[in-house]
Amino acid sequence: MTMSVQTHEAAPIADVRVRHVVMPKEDPTWRFALGARADSVGVLLELEDADGVVGLGYASEVPHLGYDIDVMEAVVRSRLAVALEAPALDRRALVGSPWQQSLPAPVRSLF
C-alpha cells in the first residue's frame, strides 16, 4: 500500500475556539483512589489557520489537584493572545520551555 503525505505550509492562526465538553465514560463505574465520575469534563481547544485547517486539543479537568473546569478555561483563555501571535507550528511559543514550566500540566497538553 502506498500512502501520500500532504504537506501544508503553516498559515497564521485565524480563529480560536474554547468549549466546555462533557464526555460520558464507557464504564461509568470505573474508579480510582480519589473517587469516580461517570463522565469526563474538560476544555476543547480549536485553532483554525487562515487556510481553514483545524487543530484540536483537549484537557480534562483535574479537580482533586485544583484544576476545575473554570481554572482550566481561565488559563487557556489567558494564552489566546499568545496563540494568535505565535507561528502556527511553534509549540514552544505557546507553552514555553519544557524546563521552565509556566502552565499547569493539564493545560500544556492542549497546545
Side-chain angles (χ1 to χ4, degrees), residues 22-35:
V22 178
M23 297 184 291
K25 292 183 179 172
E26 189 173 309
D27 177 1
T29 63
W30 183 87
R31 342 182 20 91
F32 72 113
L34 296 176

Side-chain angles (χ1 to χ4, degrees), residues 6-97:
Q6 278 187 325
T7 59
H8 178 75
E9 188 68 28
I13 295 172
D15 192 22
V16 178
R17 295 177 291 276
V18 179
R19 303 168 195 227
H20 288 198
V21 293
V22 178
M23 297 184 291
K25 292 183 179 172
E26 189 173 309
D27 177 1
T29 63
W30 183 87
R31 342 182 20 91
F32 72 113
L34 296 176
R37 289 182 68 174
D39 50 29
S40 177
V41 177
V43 175
L44 178 68
L45 174 67
E46 298 175 78
L47 299 175
E48 184 172 352
D49 74 11
D51 294 334
V53 176
V54 176
L56 301 172
Y58 173 80
S60 181
E61 70 174 355
V62 190
H64 62 277
L65 294 179
Y67 303 117
D68 66 19
I69 193 68
D70 296 326
V71 169
M72 297 287 289
E73 182 177 4
V75 173
V76 169
R77 289 193 182 281
S78 77
R79 301 298 291 178
L80 292 184
V82 174
L84 289 169
E85 294 172 6
L89 299 177
D90 186 358
R91 184 174 187 271
R92 185 170 285 195
L94 295 172
V95 299
S97 163

Side-chain angles (χ1 to χ4, degrees), residues 94-110:
L94 295 172
V95 299
S97 163
W99 309 113
Q100 297 174 338
Q101 300 299 334
S102 60
L103 295 174
V107 175
R108 283 195 309 274
S109 68
L110 279 168

